[in-house]
Amino acid sequence: LKPFWVEPVSLCCELAHISSPLFAMGGCTSSSQAAGGAPKGGKGKVFGLNMSMNAAGPFLLASSTGRLDVETVPMEKWKGAEFLAVNPFGQIPALQDGDVRMAESNAILRYIALKYAPEMYPKAPKVRGLIDWAMERFSSSVYKDVVACVYPAMGFAAPPSDVEAVGKKCTESLESYCKVFLKSKYVTGDSLSIADFKLAPFFVACAHPGLQQVAKFTCPERIMQFNKDFAAACKSAGMMEVAGGFALKEMLDAKL
């Protein structure tokens, strides 16, 4: 294995020059696609980077609808006037769809589903409530434990003072989350929802064997199975593994 901790500035310099293309790899099975839907190449776009766990979920869902394009935005352009017109906070992911401009992963996932893939965010209060709970619980609690392990390895953060303690907390957090929200194949049962799109990029990172070894945490078997199921249902999931050297898995491979 290569040294675990990466100098944050060095990776930022790499990101500043990223302009790798995204690719149409086929979407996830959805009723809107089966019914025909609109042709690809619509006016809407989701902006982000391939290796970003926060941007990958919206990228995948946008690809699955066939109604939105996805576009990489190099870090050097995040504070430029053109991108700030989409997201005044200068962060990814962001979305522009007609006169709608917005940001934040969860908000974008909900917007895309409500407009283009309602089957991914059912109206039934019980189902939608579970989806929202799963997404918000991950964002408010599990997220910080996962990124505490992943971000230092990718160069986004300084290393923790106690690697083993951080790894142990991440393992426990993932296990407790799975016990509540992954009792079935996916969060809501046998069909994908936006909650699964939220989780998938983070779970792909957690499954990386090199990351587990150096960050001293264990990815639950339940997550390993989820990753297999998600990849089978969402053909564009491959963009998390292969993107000309800039996919999430490729970046981890290069750093670990």
Side-chain angles (χ1 to χ4, degrees):
L1 290 175
K2 299 178 183 179
F4 178 23
W5 309 117
V6 180
E7 171 58 47
V9 175
S10 67
L11 182 57
C12 288
C13 291
E14 291 174 25
L15 290 175
H17 297 90
I18 288 174
S19 58
S20 62
L22 289 176
F23 31 112
M25 300 177 64
C28 310
T29 303
S30 70
S31 60
S32 61
Q33 285 179 293
K40 294 183 178 180
K43 295 181 180 179
K45 286 185 179 181
V46 177
F47 302 92
L49 286 172
N50 301 57
M51 86 287 290
S52 168
M53 295 182 291
N54 288 308
F59 270 5
L60 290 165
L61 186 59
S63 176
S64 79
T65 67
R67 304 283 293 278
L68 293 162
D69 293 329
V70 292
E71 182 176 315
T72 56
V73 182
M75 182 179 283
E76 61 189 3
K77 295 185 178 181
W78 292 1
K79 302 302 180 181
E82 184 176 358
F83 187 69
L84 289 175
V86 179
N87 180 9
F89 299 104
Q91 297 173 320
I92 58 169
L95 173 144
Q96 181 173 353
D97 187 24
D99 61 355
V100 175
R101 292 170 174 78
M102 63 190 304
E104 302 300 335
S105 178
N106 289 356
I108 292 172
L109 286 169
R110 291 187 177 103
Y111 174 86
I112 295 174
L114 288 169
K115 186 169 184 180
Y116 298 115
E119 70 278 9
M120 298 287 183
Y121 195 37
K123 290 182 179 180
K126 182 177 180 180
V127 179
R128 184 169 290 189
L130 177 59
I131 291 171
D132 287 340
W133 183 22
M135 293 173 67
E136 298 308 320
R137 176 62 187 176
F138 188 89
S139 297
S140 66
S141 180
V142 184
Y143 175 87
K144 65 179 182 294
D145 296 326
V146 172
V147 300
C149 292
V150 179
Y151 279 7
M154 296 186 72
F156 291 132
S161 57
D162 190 335
V163 177
E164 291 195 4
V166 170
K168 182 175 183 292
K169 192 171 188 300
C170 181
T171 298
E172 294 172 347
S173 184
L174 291 170
E175 289 176 344
S176 63
Y177 186 87
C178 290
K179 288 178 181 178
V180 175
F181 296 109
L182 289 181
K183 297 176 182 178
S184 301
K185 189 174 184 178
Y186 304 114
V187 170
T188 61
D190 292 331
S191 299
L192 289 172
S193 72
I194 59 173
D196 303 297
F197 284 83
K198 172 69 178 183
L199 300 174
F202 294 91
F203 286 177
V204 164
C206 288
H208 193 283
L211 180 64
Q212 293 181 67
Q213 182 175 342
V214 296
K216 308 299 182 184
F217 77 95
T218 301
C219 182
E221 285 297 322
R222 181 64 192 87
I223 287 178
M224 305 294 281
Q225 183 59 50
F226 172 91
N227 289 348
K228 293 178 182 178
D229 292 335
F230 186 87
C234 186
K235 304 309 179 184
S236 55
M239 69 171 61
M240 295 185 288
E241 298 195 1
V242 180
F246 297 110
L248 176 58
K249 183 179 181 298
E250 289 176 317
M251 291 296 289
L252 286 169
D253 286 344
K255 298 300 178 182
L256 298 171

